[in-house]
Amino acid sequence: MGDFLPKMAGKPVFKAAQVGGFGFDLMVLGQSLMCRLSANVFIKALFSSAQGEDVALIKDADFKNSIAALLKQAMIQDIVHYKAVIGAYVRDWRSVVKEIDVPVRLWHGKADNWSPVEMANALSAQDGGGFELKLFDNLSHYSTLKNALPACLKLEA
């Protein structure tokens, strides 16, 4: 739905996943090794380009511990599924989006450089599923999740 990769903080990972093969396998192996040796170093690298409220969020010990646990789970204990998720993320979803026939609410931070706001704008502009986009000023990837979660949980199914 657009050329978002140049604006994405994870561009090298997503580009490698698009190409696939040995290069992607090698990159994931390197990520896994870095996480195994020091989850804190891996987290520092991941959040080196953090924007918006993610800058403060990564300094929160509880959040950092949660992210470390998630990364260890994905990068050490379940690397096969990590690769599958990243591979699915970079595939062409246009035909799938056209099949959506239920209302969808998108929660997105305007400062998100992991999935740029242009991605959410492009998705919400698609015909079909009745996409509603809720944008949040100065929030990035994880800070949007943190701030939107209470409202998401209050929604009726």
Side-chain angles (χ1 to χ4, degrees):
M1 287 181 264
D3 185 22
F4 309 113
L5 197 57
K7 290 186 169 188
M8 296 177 77
K11 178 182 174 180
V13 174
F14 300 128
K15 186 69 174 172
Q18 283 179 329
V19 173
F22 182 71
F24 180 54
D25 290 344
L26 191 59
M27 177 177 273
V28 171
L29 185 61
Q31 288 179 315
S32 178
L33 183 60
M34 184 188 292
C35 191
R36 187 179 304 271
L37 294 173
S38 176
N40 286 332
V41 169
F42 191 57
I43 291 168
K44 188 174 181 178
L46 281 176
F47 282 85
S48 64
S49 64
Q51 295 184 2
E53 290 188 22
D54 278 15
V55 173
L57 190 57
I58 194 55
K59 295 175 184 171
D60 178 89
D62 289 336
F63 176 77
K64 198 170 186 178
N65 289 337
S66 295
I67 289 294
L70 289 171
L71 287 171
K72 288 176 184 175
Q73 172 66 34
M75 302 303 303
I76 298 170
Q77 299 169 7
D78 204 4
I79 200 165
V80 170
H81 288 110
Y82 169 78
K83 286 173 54 177
V85 167
I86 299 298
Y89 184 74
V90 299
R91 71 174 257 225
D92 186 346
W93 285 87
R94 286 177 288 195
S95 64
V96 175
V97 170
K98 291 178 183 177
E99 301 288 325
I100 298 172
D101 62 356
V102 296
V104 176
R105 182 172 289 162
L106 304 169
W107 307 78
H108 209 94
K110 290 181 181 179
D112 192 337
N113 64 332
W114 292 46
S115 3
V117 70
E118 292 86 358
M119 290 177 78
N121 288 329
L123 186 56
S124 69
Q126 298 299 304
D127 293 331
F131 295 96
E132 176 191 349
L133 178 58
K134 294 184 69 68
L135 294 174
F136 299 89
D137 290 328
N138 201 38
L139 297 184
S140 188
H141 200 71
Y142 290 98
S143 51
T144 297
L145 294 172
K146 180 182 177 189
N147 284 280
L149 184 60
C152 290
L153 294 175
K154 288 181 184 175
L155 293 176
E156 292 182 2

